[in-house]
């Protein structure tokens, strides 16, 4: 969506909505927040709401980083150790590859 | 007008184009499909997996016909175009070569064995040298000196290949035209002449036998039940079938458990066999000789039992799955112990098992018994009675029976599972005194030819069914012996023996 013609209060409102919605285990919204509002927050000349937008973008960025690390760690551990976990691994899996442990 | 005729011309041309081109399958130009191939499959038990596995899209490798054992180095080290697919003549299908190829670490894509039309001269047995050593009666608790074939190695030719795990597919091919084409292709393209490295294009082969089962039985059965997702499919099948049993006296089979007053003589034989490859299980000497003799004996006893029934019932049991750690007999003993069977172990008076009886050297049959249970006097007396009965049954026949000279444990037999439950007197009838006379135990070579079953050249199928071969005559003798012995053991009168004769 093109933010050029959007008034500043609406921009702030959007950023805020995405930031708050991301707390519902939706890190992708934070990613969208960061990517979309990055230019607005850091690369545009200063305007009144920009400080607020900057905080929201920074916090979304932090949240995103947190999620990325958690998910990467879990996926690595699962892929590596699923075979060794036996029963637990099988109950946690959605599809199990055939023919290899 | 012009436009319309133009359109027509274009249409005509296009349709001629399609007709003229025809259908040429590129696949047919590249691949030659082989018929008559048998794969080796993956089998699981409670703790391990054995057998072969291929990748999901098949294993492709450059063809290499192995010329000798030293040639294996070409495959494993010096060859420039790994991975190789090794073609073995049956003489080279040995444990040492297969183990070297197993440790090939990615250079071996698969193995194809060419099955010969005649049996090899030396023995070959892919089973272990001590069959079913962990599931018989001889364990450390029963008698450590007899466990693990310490006294007699039953299967000396056994190289244990069936129980190894390979991570490449192994197929067997028939020795026919396709095999000739393969060898010719290798000679023309893949063979380095005078030490030169063969260049592309090279002949290659693709083997496909992807196995879904993995790890061990518990995991596999769990995954079978679990498969909750989009495509429920069977990952593995349990090894199972039915035992067949019959008794001479009608029994109430709905009433399970002990039957008071019933004394049963169990006559047992096994039905099954296996080989290294899937579904090839001729088992002529290891399985068929035994159960055919028992069937003939049952048929021989038919009239006499009706006219002069003996005091004890005879139970004819045919066990399935004995190759794989006594599936059938262990189930029957389990059912008997848990009162799920028509009789239980207290009803069993004695057991006579017919083992491998096809290859008799100088017409002798050997009676194997269990030395540990015979330490008990009452069991010993019963066994001695059984032996005497067998000897008296053999009196007028060309078969003679004898006990082995040395005190040795029982060969692998279903009777061992009965002994695990309780010391029952019993004998196992075999044609070997110590190790097997069967050089091809549980292998694809244990066929009718192995028993020298040959028909004269110009007989039709129906005539062949009526023709009595040498081996049929030999087995008839065995069957008569068994029938008479069972009759006496069941308490019949000696006088009736002359009337019991098996029909060749």
């Amino acid at each position: 969506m093109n933010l050029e013609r959007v008034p500043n209060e609406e921009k702030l409102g959007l950023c805020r909505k995405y930031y708050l919605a991301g707390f519902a285990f939706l890190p992708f919204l934070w990613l969208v927040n960061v990517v979309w509002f990055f230019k607005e927050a850091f690369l545009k000349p200063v305007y009144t709401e920009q400080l607020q937008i900057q905080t929201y973008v920074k916090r979304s960025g932090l949240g995103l980083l947190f999620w990325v690390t958690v998910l990467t760690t879990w996926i690595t551990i699962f892929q590596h150790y699923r075979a060794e976990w036996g029963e637990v691994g099988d109950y946690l899996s959605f599809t199990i590859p055939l023919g290899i442990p | 007008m012009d436009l319309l005729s133009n359109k027509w011309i274009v249409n005509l041309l296009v349709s001629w184009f399609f007709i003229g081109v025809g259908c040429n399958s590129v696949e047919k130009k590249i691949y030659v499909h082989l018929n008559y191939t048998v794969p080796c499959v993956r089998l699981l038990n409670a703790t391990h997996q054995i057998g072969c596995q291929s990748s999901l899209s098949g294993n492709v490798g450059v063809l290499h016909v192995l010329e000798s054992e030293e040639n294996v180095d070409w495959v494993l080290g010096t060859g420039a175009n790994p991975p190789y697919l090794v073609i073995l003549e049956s003489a080279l299908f040995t444990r040492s070569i297969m183990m070297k190829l197993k440790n090939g670490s990615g250079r071996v894509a698969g193995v194809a064995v060419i099955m010969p039309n005649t049996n090899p001269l030396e023995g070959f047995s892919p089973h272990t040298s001590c069959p079913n050593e962990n599931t018989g009666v001889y364990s450390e608790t029963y008698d450590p000196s007899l466990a693990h074939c310490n006294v007699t190695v039953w299967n000396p030719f056994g190289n244990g290949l069936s129980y190894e795990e390979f991570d490449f597919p192994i197929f067997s091919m028939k020795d026919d035209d396709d095999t000739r084409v393969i060898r010719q292709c290798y000679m023309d393209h893949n063979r380095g002449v005078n030490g030169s490295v063969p260049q592309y294009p090279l002949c290659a082969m693709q083997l496909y036998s992807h196995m879904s089962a993995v790890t061990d039985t518990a995991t596999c059965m769990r995954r079978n039940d679990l498969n909750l997702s989009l495509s429920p499919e069977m990952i593995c099948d349990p090894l199972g079938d039915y035992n067949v049993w019959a008794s001479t006296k009608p029994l109430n089979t709905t009433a399970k458990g002990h039957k008071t007053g019933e004394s049963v003589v169990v006559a047992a034989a096994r039905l099954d066999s296996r080989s290294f490859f899937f579904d090839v299980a001729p088992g002529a000497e290891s399985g068929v000789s035994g159960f055919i003799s028992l069937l003939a004996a049952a048929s021989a006893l038919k009239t006499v039992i009706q006219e002069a029934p003996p005091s004890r019932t005879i139970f004819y049991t045919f066990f399935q799955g004995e190759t794989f750690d006594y599936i059938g007999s262990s189930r029957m003993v389990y059912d008997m112990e848990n009162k799920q069977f028509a009789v239980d172990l207290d009803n069993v008076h004695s057991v006579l098992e017919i083992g491998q009886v096809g290859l008799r050297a100088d017409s002798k049959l050997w009676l194997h018994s269990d030395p540990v249970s015979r330490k008990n006097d009452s069991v010993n007396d019963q066994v001695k009675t059984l032996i005497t009965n067998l000897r008296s049954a053999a009196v007028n026949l060309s078969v003679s029976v004898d006990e082995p000279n040395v005190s040795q444990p029982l060969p692998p037999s279903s009777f061992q599972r009965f002994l695990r439950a309780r010391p029952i007197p019993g004998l196992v009838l075999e044609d070997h005194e110590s190790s097997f006379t069967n050089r091809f135990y549980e292998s694809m070579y244990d066929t009718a030819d192995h028993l020298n079953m040959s028909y004269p050249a110009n007989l039709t199928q129906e005539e062949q069914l009526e023709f009595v071969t040498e081996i049929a005559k030999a087995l008839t003798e065995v069957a008569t012996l068994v029938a008479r012995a069972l009759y006496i053991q069941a308490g019949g009168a000696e006088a009736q023996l002359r009337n019991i004769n098996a029909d060749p």
Side-chain angles (χ1 to χ4, degrees):
Chain A
M1 186 171 131
N2 200 342
L3 285 176
E4 281 189 19
R5 302 260 184 107
V6 179
N8 287 345
E9 302 84 39
E10 269 190 54
K11 281 187 215 167
L12 180 60
L14 267 175
C15 195
R16 199 153 163 269
K17 277 193 198 124
Y18 271 73
Y19 169 67
L20 291 175
F23 278 106
F25 294 93
L26 297 169
F28 205 67
L29 289 181
W30 283 339
L31 172 66
V32 170
N33 215 8
V34 168
V35 170
W36 201 13
F37 283 98
F38 190 75
K39 220 168 164 195
E40 289 292 323
F42 299 107
L43 299 178
K44 280 265 172 79
V46 185
Y47 53 90
T48 26
E49 290 86 352
Q50 201 190 37
L51 199 57
Q52 274 271 354
I53 295 184
Q54 269 185 10
T55 2
Y56 285 142
V57 171
K58 279 187 207 152
R59 287 189 195 163
S60 303
L62 282 175
L64 183 67
L65 204 62
F66 169 74
W67 268 101
V68 166
T69 31
V70 165
L71 282 177
T72 319
T73 329
W74 166 244
I75 291 174
T76 326
I77 294 179
F78 183 72
Q79 292 292 351
H80 201 240
Y81 290 114
R82 179 190 55 80
E84 288 156 29
W85 282 344
E87 212 173 332
V88 177
D90 285 347
Y91 287 137
L92 282 175
S93 306
F94 183 65
T95 54
I96 306 175
L98 299 174
I100 53 176
Chain B
M1 236 4 252
D2 237 13
L3 212 55
L4 213 56
S5 58
N6 262 350
K7 229 194 208 170
W8 272 114
I9 292 174
V10 169
N11 275 345
L12 265 170
L13 282 173
V14 168
S15 40
W16 274 340
F17 177 70
F18 273 121
I19 294 170
V21 160
C23 215
N24 248 329
S25 165
V26 180
E27 200 203 1
K28 286 212 190 78
K29 291 183 179 173
I30 305 178
Y31 287 100
V32 173
H33 283 271
L34 294 173
N35 306 322
Y36 310 117
T37 53
V38 190
C40 124
V41 294
R42 177 173 274 175
L43 295 165
L44 307 171
N45 78 355
T47 47
H48 290 84
Q49 57 187 22
I50 58 177
C52 325
Q53 167 73 298
S54 89
S55 71
L56 200 49
S57 55
N59 281 30
V60 183
V62 172
L63 266 187
H64 182 82
V65 176
L66 205 69
E67 283 144 33
S68 63
E69 189 153 350
E70 291 75 34
N71 205 214
V72 179
D73 293 328
W74 171 267
V75 174
L76 294 177
T78 51
N81 308 305
Y84 283 99
L85 210 140
V86 184
I87 311 276
L88 290 177
E89 306 283 344
S90 60
L92 290 171
F93 187 46
T94 58
R95 188 183 169 86
S96 59
I97 292 184
M98 288 308 293
M99 295 315 273
K100 281 190 198 159
L101 291 175
K102 176 179 165 173
N103 297 327
S105 67
R107 287 183 64 102
V108 180
V111 172
V113 181
I114 301 181
M115 266 193 54
N117 293 324
T118 54
N119 284 350
L121 289 172
E122 332 78 48
F124 173 80
S125 169
H127 209 83
T128 47
S129 52
C130 194
N132 290 345
E133 62 183 308
N134 295 321
T135 40
V137 71
Y138 298 108
S139 58
E140 271 71 12
T141 42
Y142 195 68
D143 191 341
S145 59
L146 297 177
H148 303 300
C149 293
N150 267 337
V151 175
T152 327
V153 175
W154 294 112
N155 189 19
F157 288 103
N159 53 27
L161 273 181
S162 289
Y163 288 84
E164 294 288 337
E165 189 195 338
F166 297 98
D167 58 3
F168 48 77
I170 304 181
F171 274 70
S172 85
M173 308 188 297
K174 230 167 81 156
D175 196 354
D176 58 4
D177 296 332
D178 287 331
T179 326
R180 213 163 19 86
V181 167
I182 291 174
R183 287 202 191 98
Q184 196 56 40
C185 194
Y186 169 73
M187 291 292 167
D188 292 339
H189 301 275
N190 288 25
R191 201 155 181 243
V193 186
N194 289 339
S196 68
V197 177
Q199 299 289 333
Y200 279 100
L202 296 170
C203 298
M205 195 150 109
Q206 180 178 26
L207 295 177
Y208 176 75
S209 64
H210 180 71
M211 302 287 138
S212 304
V214 75
T215 325
D216 57 36
T217 306
T219 311
C220 207
M221 296 309 287
R222 182 180 67 229
R223 289 186 188 177
N224 246 353
D225 297 329
L226 249 198
N227 216 323
L228 29 73
S229 66
L230 319 156
S231 53
E233 55 184 70
M234 292 290 286
I235 301 185
C236 44
D237 282 324
L239 281 172
D241 204 329
Y242 294 97
N243 291 335
V244 178
W245 65 269
S247 77
T248 48
K249 214 184 285 179
L251 277 182
N252 186 356
T253 46
T254 44
K256 313 273 184 202
H258 186 82
K259 294 227 163 42
T260 44
E262 271 295 336
S263 182
V264 162
V265 175
V266 174
R270 75 181 236 210
L271 282 175
D272 69 324
S273 168
R274 71 167 297 199
S275 76
F276 185 72
F277 299 102
F278 177 61
D279 238 10
V280 173
E285 155 75 350
S286 56
V288 178
S289 60
F291 86 77
I292 292 286
S293 310
L294 188 55
L295 277 176
S299 168
L301 280 173
K302 179 175 57 170
T303 34
V304 180
I305 296 221
Q306 281 177 333
E307 291 167 11
S311 51
R312 299 193 194 104
T313 322
I314 304 178
F315 243 52
Y316 305 105
T317 47
F318 299 89
F319 293 116
Q320 185 69 266
E322 298 301 278
T323 326
F324 293 110
D325 297 322
Y326 305 125
I327 301 179
S329 52
S330 60
R331 180 58 197 263
M332 182 176 265
V333 172
Y334 178 80
D335 280 345
M336 280 184 179
E337 285 178 314
N338 293 326
K339 317 284 186 223
Q340 292 296 318
F341 194 67
V343 293
D344 78 345
L345 285 168
D346 291 322
N347 290 122
V348 176
H349 171 261
S350 49
V351 175
L352 177 65
E353 179 169 345
I354 327 289
Q356 307 179 69
V357 290
L359 294 173
R360 274 184 289 137
D362 46 81
S363 297
K364 248 182 166 203
L365 276 179
W366 299 95
L367 306 171
H368 294 261
S369 55
D370 170 45
V372 176
S373 62
R374 283 178 77 171
K375 289 185 189 147
N376 177 330
D377 282 330
S378 67
V379 174
N380 199 13
D381 291 335
Q382 298 265 22
V383 175
K384 287 213 181 104
T385 326
L386 191 46
I387 296 178
T388 340
N389 288 341
L390 271 159
R391 279 194 213 271
S392 55
V395 155
N396 285 327
L397 298 174
S398 61
V399 189
S400 63
V401 289
D402 213 345
E403 274 188 273
N405 287 328
V406 248
S407 155
Q408 63 185 355
L410 283 174
S413 50
S414 321
F415 179 41
Q416 288 196 21
R417 294 298 302 200
F418 282 87
L419 280 178
R420 256 171 96 122
R422 129 184 1 195
I424 302 177
L427 286 179
V428 179
L429 206 64
E430 301 266 8
D431 60 12
H432 53 85
E433 186 182 359
S434 53
S435 311
F436 291 162
T437 45
N438 186 357
R439 292 173 300 140
F440 305 115
Y441 185 65
E442 311 286 26
S443 86
M444 54 190 174
Y445 302 121
D446 193 5
T447 54
D449 289 338
H450 182 215
L451 289 178
N452 289 332
M453 186 165 98
S454 55
Y455 297 100
N458 45 4
L459 288 184
T460 64
Q461 285 270 38
E462 286 84 23
E463 284 168 5
Q464 276 187 358
L465 277 178
E466 297 292 322
F467 183 76
V468 178
T469 55
E470 284 300 316
I471 182 68
K473 289 193 193 126
L475 286 179
T476 318
E477 299 278 316
V478 176
T480 315
L481 165 68
V482 168
R484 293 186 183 178
L486 281 174
Y487 188 66
I488 313 178
Q489 178 70 5
E494 295 252 352
Q496 290 284 349
L497 281 188
R498 267 173 291 112
N499 300 332
I500 306 179
N501 283 307
D503 181 6

